[in-house]
Amino acid sequence: MESGPAIFAGGAFTLFGAALLVWTGVRVAQGEPVALGVARKPAAVLSGLFGAAFLLLGIWCFGRP
């Protein structure tokens, strides 16, 4: 059974990671810049990597005993 802080942290990380991946996907699909003042490819790659990392971190928090 997860503890209260682990559930909160897992929820926060999972929600943020999923939102970042959705944001990145929508911006790339529309051809819009992901971040202002940054080249499109590096910004899309880095935000995708960080989104996936936060999503996995949230799932890991849920899986801890």
Side-chain angles (χ1 to χ4, degrees):
M1 186 80 180
E2 293 91 7
S3 66
I7 293 171
F8 177 77
F13 284 133
T14 304
L15 184 63
F16 179 72
L20 187 58
L21 286 174
V22 168
W23 168 260
T24 303
V26 168
R27 298 297 285 187
V28 168
Q30 292 178 348
E32 298 289 329
V34 176
L36 294 177
V38 182
R40 285 186 184 168
K41 275 190 180 178
V45 169
L46 281 177
S47 64
L49 288 175
F50 277 104
F54 277 108
L55 191 62
L56 290 174
L57 183 62
I59 292 170
W60 178 76
C61 285
F62 284 132
R64 294 198 55 184

